[in-house]
Amino acid sequence: MRRFPTIYRALLALVMLAASAPVMADSAGRLVRRGNDSFDRGDFDGAAEYYELASVKIPESPIVEFNFGNVEYMRGDFAAARGRFEEAALASRDLSLEAQALYNIGNCTFRQGQRQADSDLEKALEFFKESVEHYSVALEKEPGMPDAAHNLEVARLVIKDLLDAIKKQQEQMKEQQEKLREVVDSLLAVMKRQDTALGRSLDLSGSQEKGTPAWNGEVDGVLDDQTSIAGSTGEVSGMLTDLFKDQQPEQVVQALSHLDSSLVDQEDAVADMKKRRTGEAAGDQQSSLEQMRKTLEKLTEGDGQNQDQQQQGQQDQQQQQQKQQEPQQDQQQQQQKEQQARSETAKDILDEEKKNREKRKQAASGYRRVDKDW
């Protein structure tokens, strides 16, 4: 089967058809022929100049508009070319020329779809569907257009492949969201552990039993917990990095930055706890908790937007697979409920951490935050 670039030969043939049209005045016809000669040499700017002069003599000529469309197409401005071909189709009383213009509009939308395929599959799908529509209408107006039939078949095959790619992308996005929820759950668990360790450090800092064997035993216990917390925080950072190892969105970059800062604070807390500086360790732990809170905010701030994108993609897929409509709707509702529950859990933990912080400030009147650049 021929590959899609055969449209270039079709375009050149259409230019020659336009040049031989008998409806033109002689002077305009000569200008168009000169424009066609320039076009054949690859001098598209020169061709455009001749077509511009011809359009002065025969304003709103469908043939001049058509040839202008060919120039814009070869320049790579498919949107401008489409506009020219649309004008030619509307102005033409020649059914054959109208069909050729519609065929070329199909070519333009196909090329626009190809340009979008690497960045926006949904947008590319829209363009390819438009190309199918225009090829089909062109064939209705002039059934004997083999290139239109060929391109129509190619466009339909591309749409099928694109639908498969969109489905795969949606599955990958779903899998990524599930793994991201695992990261968030792990982070929430570490935050609760860090909050508990902070409370113990504050209690030790304000204790009247400093230096006693019992107090030193408690310090060692907090030290072990804080060391373990640092290890768990590193694991969360690794999970997040692996999840977006190909490309990291800006909010993930910021989340990882906050998580790295949290790890530094935790390491400082471990070092302070080893030296029995429980007050300073508490300050480090508080700073670490704040950085984890910021990490959580970055990881959850786009939940609403991501849900909208997923829902739109699922709705498009439903139109192609009507039999699966109800199960997919149920899945959407379930995902929304899970995300809402997770967001509420995160908010509850943050609110609880804030309340605990206020209580500690009141209870640990002997504790004073160390003047330190966190």
Side-chain angles (χ1 to χ4, degrees):
M1 179 180 293
R2 293 176 299 168
R3 298 181 64 82
F4 196 82
T6 55
I7 60 171
Y8 287 102
R9 292 197 292 274
L11 280 170
L12 291 174
L14 291 176
V15 173
M16 297 308 295
L17 275 174
S20 62
V23 296
M24 290 188 179
D26 288 343
S27 57
R30 285 196 298 271
L31 289 170
V32 171
R33 282 193 292 273
R34 291 178 181 177
N36 291 342
D37 290 341
S38 297
F39 186 95
D40 290 339
R41 294 194 304 270
D43 180 10
F44 304 125
D45 291 339
E49 291 179 5
Y50 282 118
Y51 296 149
E52 184 67 37
L53 292 173
S55 68
V56 174
K57 295 181 178 294
I58 44 175
E60 300 180 359
S61 166
I63 294 176
V64 174
E65 286 293 329
F66 184 92
N67 285 4
F68 254 129
N70 289 329
V71 169
E72 297 293 3
Y73 184 94
M74 298 305 293
R75 284 171 168 172
D77 191 343
F78 302 128
R82 176 179 180 173
R84 293 285 190 177
F85 292 133
E86 288 175 344
E87 290 294 329
L90 289 173
S92 177
R93 295 182 180 179
D94 181 347
L95 189 62
S96 177
L97 180 62
E98 182 182 358
Q100 293 162 3
L102 290 168
Y103 165 76
N104 278 3
I105 294 173
N107 292 340
C108 291
T109 53
F110 190 98
R111 292 303 186 191
Q112 287 178 296
Q114 286 181 316
R115 285 184 172 176
Q116 291 289 334
D118 291 334
S119 58
D120 190 337
L121 295 181
E122 296 290 347
K123 188 65 175 179
L125 182 62
E126 293 178 12
F127 281 123
F128 288 130
K129 287 181 177 179
E130 286 186 52
S131 70
V132 166
E133 293 175 3
H134 287 101
Y135 291 142
S136 299
V137 176
L139 282 170
E140 289 176 3
K141 293 184 178 293
E142 189 172 334
M145 295 183 68
D147 286 324
H150 170 262
N151 288 359
L152 176 61
E153 181 183 357
V154 172
R156 285 173 173 168
L157 289 174
V158 170
I159 287 175
K160 181 181 181 300
D161 291 341
L162 193 60
L163 286 171
D164 291 340
I166 290 174
K167 181 179 179 181
K168 182 178 180 180
Q169 185 185 67
Q170 290 173 349
E171 291 173 350
Q172 291 175 341
M173 289 178 61
K174 178 183 176 182
E175 182 180 357
Q176 188 178 66
Q177 287 300 313
E178 290 175 350
K179 290 183 178 179
L180 182 59
R181 285 194 288 269
E182 293 178 4
V183 172
V184 170
D185 289 343
S186 298
L187 178 62
L188 290 170
V190 175
M191 289 178 66
K192 293 188 71 172
R193 292 171 60 193
Q194 184 64 86
D195 185 59
T196 299
L198 171 60
R200 293 175 65 188
S201 295
L202 289 172
D203 291 340
L204 289 168
S205 178
S207 174
Q208 300 297 321
E209 300 180 357
K210 285 185 178 181
T212 65
W215 184 86
N216 282 317
E218 286 293 329
V219 171
D220 289 336
V222 176
L223 173 60
D224 291 340
D225 287 346
Q226 187 60 61
T227 302
S228 176
I229 290 170
S232 297
T233 303
E235 291 176 0
V236 173
S237 179
M239 291 169 61
L240 188 57
T241 300
D242 290 342
L243 183 56
F244 294 95
K245 58 185 176 183
D246 294 331
Q247 182 178 4
Q248 292 182 350
E250 180 60 29
Q251 69 184 75
V252 173
V253 172
Q254 295 177 10
L256 284 169
S257 177
H258 290 306
L259 207 53
D260 288 342
S261 297
S262 178
L263 270 170
V264 171
D265 289 328
Q266 290 173 3
E267 291 170 357
D268 289 344
V270 169
D272 287 331
M273 197 63 70
K274 287 180 178 179
K275 296 178 180 180
R276 290 339 194 216
R277 296 200 296 250
T278 54
E280 288 87 340
D284 294 325
Q285 291 167 328
Q286 180 64 63
S287 180
S288 170
L289 198 57
E290 177 66 17
Q291 291 297 328
M292 283 192 284
R293 182 186 66 78
K294 292 179 179 179
T295 300
L296 182 63
E297 289 176 350
K298 289 298 178 182
L299 293 180
T300 58
E301 67 181 6
D303 284 342
Q305 181 179 359
N306 290 336
Q307 287 178 21
D308 291 342
Q309 293 174 349
Q310 291 177 5
Q311 291 173 24
Q312 182 62 45
Q314 290 170 345
Q315 289 171 3
D316 292 339
Q317 189 69 21
Q318 289 167 10
Q319 293 175 1
Q320 303 296 325
Q321 302 174 350
Q322 290 293 329
K323 293 182 180 180
Q324 300 179 8
Q325 184 174 8
E326 291 183 2
Q328 288 183 358
Q329 289 177 341
D330 293 340
Q331 186 178 16
Q332 289 177 30
Q333 294 174 359
Q334 182 63 30
Q335 289 177 350
Q336 290 175 351
K337 290 179 180 179
E338 290 177 359
Q339 186 58 56
Q340 182 179 1
R342 182 169 277 95
S343 297
E344 291 176 353
T345 300
K347 184 177 183 301
D348 290 342
I349 289 179
L350 293 177
D351 290 343
E352 180 182 357
E353 185 270 326
K354 183 177 180 180
K355 291 178 181 178
N356 289 341
R357 187 168 59 223
E358 294 299 326
K359 290 179 180 179
R360 293 181 189 121
K361 287 182 179 179
Q362 296 176 3
S365 57
Y367 167 69
R368 183 177 60 184
R369 178 69 176 270
V370 177
D371 186 12
K372 181 177 180 181
D373 184 7
W374 305 115

